[in-house]
Amino acid sequence: EVQLLESGGGLVQPGGSLRLSCAASGFTFTNYAMTWVRQAPGKGLEWVSGISSSGDSTFYADSVKGRFTISRDNSKNTLYLQMNSLRAEDTAVYYCAKDGCADVICYFDYWGQGTLVTVSS
Amino acid sequence: DIVMTQSPDSLAVSLGERATINCKSSQSVLYSSNDNNYLAWYQQKPGQPPKLLIYWASTRESGVPDRFSGSGSGTDFTLTISSLQAEDVAVYYCQQYYSSPCSFGQGTKLEIK
């Protein structure tokens, strides 16, 4: 059974940093790209960032480019999102999702339960 | 960037009736070299993460009931629920993965009439 377990969310002040983690199990982690998608309270889905199976290629939404960094540790089956210079508009539930593809960002066939990030003073 | 627009924003359908949700992309998501449409559909129930229903515009994900179907090509797509069940109440999203950044539609809220 595929499981994705996010952690690291919480309350942070504007300008602060957080590091999200996503522990994956139940599939061969090294074979698939991975993605972060967020959802602001009461709003729709917004793709944030993706990373290829090897970690060689990374992709970002314009809204987070230069502030967020996606990475993965294939030896630990874990995906990360380092979030710096956080803004109020980054407040959202952040979902980790498994891609259906290896080296490009495509559809997302498994999702974690999400972790809430709140940016507020 | 490709913009995805869904219609309607909300929809109320009687139990057992057909529900149709539309999704339009600002440019084609059909990749001519493999004839695949890079379009997926998701269902999100309150308090839950999204669930993949359809990918490649018309391929049903394993375990998804066959009352759900996807159709369309190029820029215009449709998600159809052939006979609405109570458990289908949710928000539905389309997503294009033809080009980065991938993008979602704004969502369509489906309710029981």
Side-chain angles (χ1 to χ4, degrees), chain B residues 3-100:
Chain B
V3 176
M4 307 300 290
T5 304
Q6 293 180 225
S7 62
D9 289 334
S10 63
L11 179 64
V13 175
S14 300
L15 290 173
E17 295 300 305
R18 177 185 300 258
T20 301
I21 299 170
N22 301 301
C23 175
K24 189 175 185 66
S25 56
S26 60
Q27 62 189 75
S28 177
V29 299
L30 172 62
Y31 194 37
S32 56
S33 66
N34 59 18
D35 206 30
N36 280 335
N37 286 284
Y38 285 51
L39 190 285
W41 289 96
Y42 300 86
Q43 174 194 66
Q44 187 178 32
K45 297 181 179 180
Q48 296 185 18
K51 173 188 175 182
L52 176 67
L53 296 176
I54 303 283
Y55 56 98
W56 302 125
S58 61
T59 301
R60 196 180 303 114
E61 172 71 335
S62 176
V64 173
D66 61 7
R67 63 179 180 274
F68 291 90
S69 63
S71 62
S73 185
T75 62
D76 292 281
F77 300 90
T78 300
L79 174 69
T80 301
I81 307 172
S82 60
S83 177
L84 189 71
Q85 305 299 303
E87 61 265 33
D88 300 334
V89 169
V91 178
Y92 293 83
Y93 295 92
C94 61
Q95 176 227 348
Q96 68 80 19
Y97 46 98
Y98 179 87
S99 66
S100 183

Side-chain angles (χ1 to χ4, degrees), chain A residues 22-79:
Chain A
C22 172
S25 61
F27 65 102
T28 305
F29 187 69
T30 53
N31 284 359
Y32 295 96
M34 296 292 294
T35 281
W36 290 97
V37 174
R38 69 184 179 185
Q39 187 169 35
K43 302 298 184 182
L45 302 171
E46 180 188 13
W47 175 81
V48 173
S49 182
I51 188 167
S52 63
S53 58
S54 66
D56 289 346
S57 298
T58 58
F59 309 87
Y60 298 95
D62 286 346
S63 58
V64 306
K65 201 172 294 183
R67 300 188 298 123
F68 290 12
T69 302
I70 191 171
S71 62
R72 63 192 294 163
D73 186 335
N74 283 350
S75 68
K76 295 182 178 179
N77 287 358
T78 302
L79 174 72

